[in-house]
Amino acid sequence: MYELEKSNLQRCSKYVIHILRPSYVKGFMTTYLQPEVAERILSEESKSVTAAAQVFLDQVCLLDELGWYQALLDALEAEDYKGLCEALKGWDFQTLESTKEHRVLLDRIEPRFTKLIKPRDLLLHLGDCLRKRECEEILAIENLKGQIAAAERLTDCLKRSDKQNWFKLLKSALFSCELTEALQLLEPDTESSMSKMEVGDEEEGETVMTVSFQYTEQSDDDDGMLMSSNPLTPSETPPTSATGEKSRGGEKKMREYQRELAEPVFQGKNTVICAPTGCGKTVVALAICEQHLKVKGKGAKVVFMATKVDVFNQQYKLFQEHFQEKDPDIRIDGLCGNQGDQLSMKVVMENNDIIVLTPQILVNAMARGEVPSLSCFSLLILDECHNTTGKHPYNIIMTSYLDAKLSTEQNGQHLPQIVGLTASVGIGSFKNQSEAENNICQLCASLDSRIISTIHTNTDELQSYVHTPDKEFFLVQKRHIDPFIRIIHDIMAKIEGLAKTVYNIESLSSIENRDYGSQKYEQWIVDVQKKCRVLQLKDQEEESRVCRALYNYTEHLRKYNDALIINEDARTKDALEYLSSFIQQVKNAGHDKTERQLTAYFDGCTAGFVQRGQKENPKLDMLQYILEEQYRQNDETKSVLFVRTRALADALKSWMEESDSLKFLKPGVLIGRGRKSSQLTGSGMTLNSKKGVLDSFKSFDNQSKILIATSVADEGIDIPQCNLVLMYEYVGNVVKMVQVRGRGRAQGSKCILVSDKKDRIDKEKHNMEKEKIVERAIRNLQDTPTEMLRKMEVFQRGDKVCRDMVKMVPERPRTEGSYQLLCSKCKKHSCYTDDIRVLQDSHHIVLDPTLFSRARTEPHPKPKGFMGLVKTRKLFCHCGLDWGIVASYLTIQNLPVLKIESFVVKNCVTEQQRYYRKWRDVTFSMKTFELTDIGLVHPFQPMPMHVGVATE
């Protein structure tokens, strides 16, 4: 009996013995094995888990008792050996086999790896691939035997994991815990990188570790997300890459049109390279770096900047792959996020030839004095350089450049060469070619670039590789009758009436003609809440009651306004679910009398609302028709659907998944990381979750056929297979139009705008005309370089005069005196500014230990360290408003760190109240945090948050 099962178990024993820990199925052993056998297995496990598992398997294969095999499967499933259990059920071990290379790698690097990791920190992120029992055992080992012993046990548990995604989760955890050196050990893609790793080990302490984030945006195709692959080349054969010919490994060869774009840069000129999305501007940048390093030799120092972390990861990986093949001796480093706060930019500069950055890293390094001047570099490359306007980090960097250039001392002799990359220079507003030329000249002046490099000679080659999607427009009728709108309008009118019984809210804002369900109504709410924060009444208790009530009324009005916007673009069901979710959160948060009144009113008004007989949203009908037709004609279609808000992205995903004719699309959602705000937002996405969505969409096994995205995907992230771009009420300026359209890579692609607003379709058509104006403006500027230079110089000197005038205005000194911080929602006292200390010029800590009696805390959902400060808990007022965090610094625990936007500042003498959004804007002085303050801080004991208090 069970001869087949026994035979298969013996045949597949290598999987069982390298995964199973026999003591975890002790219940099975005590039931089916003799006591002395079970005891021998447990004794053997203390010496070798694998040997013990082998003894266990041998004994199991001797069993003849009825039902033992099913009991074994049940025991495995009960102990969360789901991967092993599924493999044994179907005798299919392919999934477990796919993780073998990762086990081998971890086994090889284990001696070094276990000395670099922090098990306690990692366990917070590894719950999905480790059992609860394993986590508890690891923590116990760390308490008894120390960190390295715990690290060894953690590593062993990972090697024995039967979860398919354990390796990805491990890398994600290392990234979250900023264990960069350990993370690098998991990336030995080639022999050369392995040898390089070994050299780094020998010279530890003398080398600077590369801050590598490439794992967060790895793709399944060899080229990565930036290496687009169009279906066919002119010769009808599959290309290696649509952005550059791939010779070997990661090295990219240039096409002729790419050489044409790079030619002015090769001549040493500051240049803006303007070329279509998908033509391979990054390949051009690689060639520029290569040539620059060759010409400048030891004096070369290159910085490549990407505006978004997602794009940074793509570009950084691409640079590493290219130069690993081209010249492994070229040193490359990458910095993004808060890595710039943890690593010295000066050290990174001294030890690398090419540095890939997000621009804010460089801005911060310049502010700290780690980069005394841009003359430290010989070449700056700005990806998506059309962002060089206003207060964007690019513009801050280039302002420093231009100040140095125009100063009499430096005269621009040692400044770096500037190269900008963009798909469009159609920035700003313009009505005609002359105004467009002025805008372009302003951009070029900001970038100090006299050359706009476009493709003239090799246009035929460009068109054979880069395909511009056909543009189509669908104007849809609005809903004629919608009872949901009437019900929500009635509720909002009722709430406004209730608010007016508390205070004359009309006197708080001058915004008129505010229609429900509009952006203007949202602006009115923001304005009213802003005035409420500094509203002063003679009776302080009355002031607190009024302000809290008005805050609650306006917050509910905001959500109803949001629901109307969702209802306009999605289903009534989605809008109701959005509201119901908000109402439930309010109920769970220990709501006060006003909130109980509002939630009861919602329940009463919507309880009888039935959607039976209600017409579906005509826009969704049209969207469904477009998708069904497209996939009927080509079932291999890959689509990107652009929407305006995160809430709408979630709603459309649900709609597709619940639609019988569309659920096969398996939609993925791609949104930004974001943070909590008052706008329509869902929860943000981490880099790893974005990567998972993109990998699923880019795969060739049809995991996901459509990607629903907000603006995060319209710039920088390349999606090669896409041949249908849908813009769902999604219209912007000329640059956005070019970027969105460029997501469609494949030959025969379409770009379709769906809207029920004629003016929105007219705006997009107008953008298409303005794009032609920009093209003519570029050609004219290229034909009249002297006039272009004259305009640039006028702009540069004019801007310099304005900056100098601003610098001449003396900075207003911060006043001395005592101020009180009041909660901006309930106006209750929080602390005095005398008790606030400033740590590292950015963190504002309260030393008053009684603050915790006025606040509540809960564990921070994303505990993380930055600049020596470790977030441990969230800090809330009793009214539920988020006040900030509780953190530890060095050995000091329980430091309340406040965010000023949650408070109103009251002058203790004049009693005047003011509201600030940023700490840098406050007008009062604060003392710097000193370690001598530690005596005041140490006794702090934060009060835990009770169930029912609002959370972030």
Side-chain angles (χ1 to χ4, degrees), residues 474 476 619 622-623 626 727-729 752-756:
F474 286 82
V476 186
K619 280 189 287 192
M622 179 57 72
L623 183 58
I626 292 170
M727 303 162 64
Y728 194 73
E729 298 287 9
I752 300 175
L753 171 62
V754 178
S755 176
D756 61 6

Side-chain angles (χ1 to χ4, degrees), residues 562-616:
D562 290 348
L564 288 172
I565 295 173
I566 294 173
N567 181 67
E568 183 181 1
D569 292 333
R571 300 171 297 179
T572 298
K573 173 185 176 181
D574 300 311
L576 268 174
E577 287 179 351
Y578 177 85
L579 282 175
S580 298
S581 175
F582 166 69
I583 294 297
Q584 191 58 49
Q585 288 176 9
V586 173
K587 290 178 179 178
N588 293 340
H591 50 325
D592 60 17
K593 180 180 177 181
T594 301
E595 289 172 316
R596 285 195 294 272
Q597 180 186 25
L598 291 171
T599 55
Y601 193 62
F602 169 81
D603 292 337
C605 290
T606 59
F609 181 77
V610 180
Q611 300 180 57
R612 189 184 306 118
Q614 182 188 346
K615 290 185 178 180
E616 184 59 275

Side-chain angles (χ1 to χ4, degrees), residues 617-632:
N617 192 325
K619 280 189 287 192
L620 292 181
D621 292 340
M622 179 57 72
L623 183 58
Q624 181 172 349
Y625 167 77
I626 292 170
L627 289 169
E628 287 175 351
E629 281 297 299
Q630 179 68 29
Y631 284 91
R632 182 180 62 80

Side-chain angles (χ1 to χ4, degrees), residues 285-333:
L286 290 167
I288 288 170
C289 292
E290 192 178 314
Q291 189 260 3
H292 183 84
L293 292 169
K294 204 173 290 183
V295 171
K296 292 287 184 179
K298 292 183 178 180
K301 193 72 66 177
V302 178
V303 170
F304 180 95
M305 288 176 279
T307 56
K308 298 178 181 178
V309 176
D310 314 67
V311 182
F312 159 85
N313 283 288
Q314 298 174 38
Q315 310 293 56
Y316 182 32
K317 179 182 179 183
L318 192 59
F319 269 76
Q320 288 180 312
E321 289 175 346
H322 177 82
F323 285 101
Q324 183 63 41
E325 289 294 333
K326 193 71 179 178
D327 186 353
D329 292 332
I330 292 176
R331 301 165 299 170
I332 302 174
D333 203 350

Side-chain angles (χ1 to χ4, degrees), residues 644-844:
R644 291 176 297 162
T645 67
R646 299 177 184 183
L648 182 55
D650 291 335
L652 292 183
K653 181 176 186 287
S654 297
W655 169 68
M656 289 184 191
E657 289 174 337
E658 294 170 19
S659 169
D660 291 337
S661 63
L662 297 179
K663 61 185 178 183
F664 77 96
L665 296 175
K666 299 178 182 177
V669 170
L670 188 66
I671 59 177
R673 301 182 74 178
R675 66 181 184 92
K676 184 179 178 182
S677 75
S678 60
Q679 306 302 317
L680 272 175
T681 58
S683 57
M685 293 183 74
T686 64
L687 291 176
N688 288 310
S689 58
K690 286 182 187 178
K691 178 191 178 300
V693 170
L694 284 168
D695 283 353
S696 176
F697 181 75
K698 291 166 58 184
S699 67
F700 291 98
D701 57 2
N702 295 321
Q703 290 184 44
S704 175
K705 289 176 176 286
I706 190 168
L707 194 62
I708 306 172
T710 56
S711 59
V712 70
D714 65 22
E715 181 176 289
I717 298 178
D718 285 357
I719 308 164
Q721 299 94 329
C722 177
N723 58 330
L724 176 63
V725 177
L726 292 161
M727 303 162 64
Y728 194 73
E729 298 287 9
Y730 191 86
V731 175
N733 56 19
V734 176
V735 175
K736 183 178 284 290
M737 181 193 73
V738 172
Q739 295 281 9
V740 170
R741 185 185 63 200
R743 299 307 102 193
R745 293 283 194 270
Q747 194 167 6
S749 299
K750 294 179 183 178
C751 183
I752 300 175
L753 171 62
V754 178
S755 176
D756 61 6
K757 300 175 180 63
K758 186 176 182 299
D759 59 344
R760 191 161 282 171
I761 290 179
D762 290 341
K763 181 180 180 181
E764 186 70 358
K765 290 180 177 178
H766 189 47
N767 281 339
M768 295 171 70
E769 294 301 317
K770 291 174 79 172
E771 182 185 17
K772 296 175 183 176
I773 293 175
V774 171
E775 290 171 355
R776 292 196 296 269
I778 292 173
R779 285 196 296 270
N780 188 52
L781 291 173
Q782 290 172 330
D783 293 339
T784 56
T786 304
E787 178 62 15
M788 177 181 172
L789 178 58
R790 185 191 68 79
K791 287 184 178 181
M792 284 176 54
E793 290 177 344
V794 170
F795 284 130
Q796 286 183 346
R797 297 196 178 279
D799 292 343
K800 179 72 163 60
V801 169
C802 292
R803 290 196 298 272
D804 290 343
M805 290 178 64
V806 171
K807 290 177 182 177
M808 290 173 63
V809 177
E811 192 173 318
R812 184 170 60 178
R814 290 187 170 179
T815 59
E816 297 290 339
S818 182
Y819 295 81
Q820 185 182 15
L821 263 60
L822 307 175
C823 174
S824 65
K825 179 180 178 180
C826 67
K827 289 296 192 74
K828 295 294 186 181
H829 168 71
S830 168
C831 66
Y832 291 98
T833 56
D834 295 337
D835 295 319
I836 296 177
R837 298 291 185 272
V838 184
L839 174 64
Q840 298 172 343
D841 295 324
S842 57
H843 309 302
H844 295 77

